[in-house]
Amino acid sequence: MDASQHVGAGFQGETMRALPRALVRTYLAEQPGIGLIVSDAGHFPHARRHGIERPEGTDQLVVILCTAGKGTFVTPHDSYDIRRGDVIVAPPGLAHDYFADGDDPWTILWFHAYGEAIPGLLAAGGVSDDRPVAVARDLYRVAALTEEILHHLQRDETQASVLGAAGAAWHLLTNLRLLTRDRVGRHDAVEEVQVLLRQRFNSRIRVADLARQVGFSGSHLSAIFRERTGQSILEYQTSLRMGRARELLDLTDAPVNAVAREVGYDDPLYFARKFRAREGISPSEYRIRNASG
């Protein structure tokens, strides 16, 4: 299944588990609803002389978290200097090489997976052949999920353990957008704008003003914001406002017009129309329904 060439092995403290490929195929066939099975996982500390060449890629998903040291990841599109906190997510079929730094070799947690769900998970997570490296927002959380995958495979090869590893991998992959940020500078601007909108969700904010703060044109910022979030900037702000409105309607007795002002709408009738458009019912109906339920 994998025609890679490995260089170096036997690192002190190394841990690695690999399922028999026949067993992987069996679980994929018997659990069609899962769509993903982890086949291999490991922890390579201070992995001097570690390197892998995959000139034709592999039919596996390859995920590597660097927790210390340095390394390099190379694809036909680019070469990436890997540091602590970087996450490599190499899609199946992507030709790539990677290797530890000679002076400060990396420590990595890693896993490989097969399954028909992988392309959709990667697309949802913003991973593509030309964007295979991200930075962990919370290194310890990403490491904990990767360690959980390895822990399940270390236990045994029963269905419970294999599905446990798959579940942890699902958790990691479905939360890629929350757990990582893109290393490409153009997407850092999106994160900055999201923070500004969360801080000032109930204020009038023009896209041109946001763009000026992050050094982009309004049209470029709008395009990459939609690419990253699936929403326009206005839609994102509206979702923040309505989330706060639902919270106030659920937890307080504040009149609807006061709720409207709190979330940035001077006109309570306009607020009510916007709320109904998103929720399907008016703010008053929402409050009654939730109070009775």
Side-chain angles (χ1 to χ4, degrees):
M1 281 188 175
D2 183 358
S4 60
Q5 299 177 19
H6 299 252
V7 179
F11 319 111
Q12 185 174 2
E14 170 187 352
T15 303
M16 175 178 171
R17 289 293 184 273
L19 295 180
R21 292 304 183 258
L23 186 61
V24 172
R25 289 191 290 268
T26 296
Y27 279 129
L28 285 171
E30 292 180 349
Q31 304 291 331
I34 299 299
L36 180 152
I37 293 295
V38 177
S39 57
D40 311 74
H43 175 222
F44 290 173
H46 201 65
R48 190 175 299 279
R49 295 187 299 277
H50 173 237
I52 292 179
E53 299 176 1
R54 295 191 177 102
E56 304 299 326
T58 174
D59 54 353
Q60 299 168 299
L61 166 68
V62 177
V63 178
I64 301 170
L65 170 65
C66 178
T67 60
K70 303 173 185 177
T72 301
F73 180 73
V74 182
T75 76
H77 306 280
D78 210 341
S79 177
Y80 304 85
D81 293 325
I82 304 301
R83 300 291 185 270
R84 181 178 185 271
D86 285 342
V87 184
I88 299 169
V89 185
L94 173 65
H96 62 268
D97 304 335
Y98 53 81
F99 48 90
D101 184 79
D103 298 322
D104 186 13
W106 61 17
T107 293
I108 56 174
L109 286 159
W110 58 271
F111 71 90
H112 299 171
Y114 294 96
E116 61 183 14
I118 289 173
L121 290 169
L122 297 187
V127 176
S128 61
D129 285 1
D130 60 350
R131 279 197 308 207
V133 178
V135 180
R137 298 179 192 271
D138 185 341
L139 172 60
Y140 299 102
R141 188 176 177 197
V142 178
L145 285 169
T146 314
E147 288 171 345
E148 182 181 346
I149 293 168
L150 177 57
H151 169 76
H152 283 298
L153 291 191
Q154 284 179 306
R155 187 169 60 181
D156 55 41
E157 297 175 359
T158 63
Q159 184 181 75
S161 295
V162 173
L163 293 184
W170 265 97
H171 189 171
L172 175 57
L173 295 172
T174 54
N175 284 278
L176 275 176
R177 287 193 185 272
L178 295 176
L179 294 173
T180 66
R181 61 177 176 81
D182 203 293
R183 290 191 3 163
V184 181
R186 65 195 179 110
H187 287 287
D188 292 344
V190 172
E191 182 180 352
E192 186 176 343
V193 167
Q194 288 178 303
V195 171
L196 290 170
L197 289 171
R198 289 195 293 268
Q199 292 172 341
R200 300 165 52 194
F201 72 93
N202 56 357
S203 302
R204 292 182 181 273
I205 301 178
R206 300 192 315 141
V207 172
D209 293 335
L210 291 170
R212 188 160 45 250
Q213 290 192 56
V214 297
F216 281 19
S217 69
S219 60
H220 187 44
L221 176 62
S222 296
I224 66 169
F225 192 94
R226 182 177 289 279
E227 177 190 352
R228 174 76 174 269
T229 68
Q231 298 176 293
S232 71
I233 292 173
L234 179 59
E235 288 168 341
Y236 185 84
Q237 185 185 41
T238 300
S239 70
L240 294 174
R241 288 180 168 187
M242 294 304 160
R244 175 59 175 160
R246 292 192 302 272
E247 182 181 17
L248 292 171
L249 291 168
D250 286 334
L251 301 179
T252 76
D253 295 324
V256 170
N257 60 351
V259 171
R261 287 193 299 273
E262 176 69 20
V263 300
Y265 295 98
D266 295 329
D267 183 349
L269 293 179
Y270 181 69
F271 163 68
R273 287 199 299 273
K274 297 289 286 187
F275 190 93
R276 182 184 287 276
R278 289 186 65 90
E279 304 296 331
I281 56 178
S282 71
S284 298
E285 291 167 335
Y286 176 89
R287 173 173 273 165
I288 294 169
R289 185 190 68 182
N290 281 26
S292 62

